[in-house]
Amino acid sequence: MASKFTELAIDCADPQGLARFWCAVLGYEVQDEDEEDGIVTIGSPLVPEGKNRGGPVPPALTFARVPEGKTVKNRLHIDVNPTDREQDEEVRRLLDLGARRADVGQGEASWIVLTDPEGNEFCVLASRCP
């Protein structure tokens, strides 16, 4: 049996705020919150059993408070695909949630690079509407 991807950890200054942003982006919900340690985990409400499920699951995101700020382009980033609207509509929705446009040297590409409220880059890929 191989490992399965269940969680992505993201260092940040404001775990609660970033968790709220990504919950709105992905349709996730808060699954665990430790205010004392500054850690918030969010995941899909469709698979609340998460890591205990036998097959693939949407990965959880865990936000952990750290004292250092972001200083360079991410080496790892999230890509999202709108499933119920076109790419340009999704970009507008994400900008309204607090995302910002970013130029990381992508040039003319089919994806759009945005940053979350703490400056972490992510891409909005071409739509996969049914």
Side-chain angles (χ1 to χ4, degrees), residues 1 4-7 31 44 46-60:
M1 162 88 86
K4 61 182 175 177
F5 176 35
T6 59
E7 189 169 330
Q31 293 181 335
S44 172
L46 302 177
V47 285
E49 65 274 13
K51 290 187 274 187
N52 299 325
R53 183 176 163 165
V57 298

Side-chain angles (χ1 to χ4, degrees), residues 17-79:
L18 212 49
R20 280 192 306 274
F21 172 81
W22 282 104
C23 278
V25 171
L26 300 171
Y28 275 20
E29 61 187 17
V30 173
Q31 293 181 335
D32 190 35
E33 185 169 2
D34 184 336
E35 290 187 38
E36 185 176 322
D37 288 333
I39 298 173
V40 180
T41 299
I42 67 172
S44 172
L46 302 177
V47 285
E49 65 274 13
K51 290 187 274 187
N52 299 325
R53 183 176 163 165
V57 298
L61 301 180
T62 296
F63 302 95
R65 183 178 299 115
V66 297
E68 346 31 72
K70 181 181 178 299
T71 58
V72 296
K73 180 183 177 291
N74 295 5
R75 298 281 310 263
L76 177 72
H77 68 265
I78 296 172
D79 287 345

